[in-house]
Amino acid sequence: KANGKYGVNIINAGFDAATAHKVNKFKKWPLVSGKMAYNLSVIVCLLKEMKHKGQIYIDDELVFDGEFLLTAACNGICCGGGFYFAPNASIDNGIIEQMIIRKISRFKFINFVKYIKNGTYHEQEKLKKYIHMFKARRVKIISNKDLIYAIDGETEITKELEIEILPRKIKFFRPKV
């Protein structure tokens, strides 16, 4: 649950949510398809300011105070067409895997994004000072300016985002195999 709305997979804020937010605008342009809209959105976001300043609390404890590129509360393992933010997450364990990526340069981001996409960033020694993971039941993000966030891809804007895990609130079924 994020600011009173519900999601199942990932609630993310910052660069990737801003990219998702702009995709919808570009899709309205004539002759711009989904893939092209996404690529245009990434380019525009890379050219803009790639940082947010704020505080991130995990279960009421301040764990981060500074500039970040993005942060994601993960119940599922991937989002955004196959970016493995939390390869060790479990959708049914009642735990949020909270990722925080500190502010980094465009050059570093472009070089590091392949490790984020394939979920091997935690194996890269050079990324350990930039990417941090926490286990949580509640996350609170306070930004000094408007912050775009996405709940399973649907974007909103706020300055304060409160996220909590609601274990076993959705019942799934599958046919017997």
Side-chain angles (χ1 to χ4, degrees):
K1 180 174 159 184
N3 286 6
K5 297 187 177 184
Y6 298 89
V8 175
N9 191 40
I10 293 179
I11 299 162
N12 49 332
F15 180 84
D16 53 333
T19 300
H21 188 69
K22 291 187 183 331
V23 164
N24 293 326
K25 292 179 181 180
F26 286 122
K27 280 184 179 177
K28 294 175 184 174
W29 288 14
L31 306 174
V32 175
S33 66
K35 181 82 170 166
M36 183 183 287
Y38 177 78
N39 291 335
L40 285 170
S41 183
V42 168
I43 290 166
V44 167
C45 288
L46 280 170
L47 295 174
K48 290 190 169 217
E49 187 175 34
M50 290 181 40
K51 66 181 178 183
H52 296 275
K53 185 175 172 113
Q55 299 81 40
I56 301 174
Y57 295 84
I58 302 290
D59 297 328
D60 301 320
E61 180 183 336
L62 179 65
V63 298
F64 185 84
D65 186 0
E67 295 177 328
F68 62 92
L69 174 71
L70 68 88
T71 185
C74 306
N75 193 35
I77 60 172
C78 71
C79 72
F83 284 84
Y84 285 81
F85 281 4
N88 298 320
S90 174
I91 201 159
D92 64 356
N93 68 354
I95 301 290
I96 296 169
E97 298 279 340
Q98 184 68 34
M99 170 192 256
I100 302 170
I101 301 180
R102 294 180 172 276
K103 179 191 91 163
I104 58 176
S105 70
R106 285 167 183 78
F107 179 75
K108 281 184 183 168
F109 178 67
I110 290 166
N111 285 317
F112 292 169
V113 76
K114 64 184 170 198
Y115 300 114
I116 298 165
K117 182 156 179 63
N118 66 23
T120 61
Y121 59 86
H122 59 281
E123 299 168 6
Q124 307 301 316
E125 196 61 41
K126 60 188 172 190
L127 294 180
K128 289 186 179 180
K129 66 181 178 181
Y130 300 108
I131 301 175
H132 307 282
M133 293 298 288
F134 299 90
K135 295 189 182 303
R137 296 204 183 277
R138 286 180 322 285
V139 176
K140 184 174 186 176
I141 304 162
I142 301 171
S143 177
N144 68 334
K145 62 181 182 179
D146 283 346
L147 178 67
I148 299 172
Y149 70 98
I151 302 174
D152 294 340
E154 299 295 321
T155 60
E156 301 280 338
I157 299 173
T158 190
K159 287 189 177 166
E160 192 167 306
L161 179 58
E162 294 192 39
I163 303 165
E164 67 177 307
I165 192 83
L166 303 173
R168 306 204 183 273
K169 287 293 181 181
I170 299 175
K171 299 209 183 300
F172 290 94
F173 68 93
R174 63 183 173 135
K176 287 185 177 182
V177 178

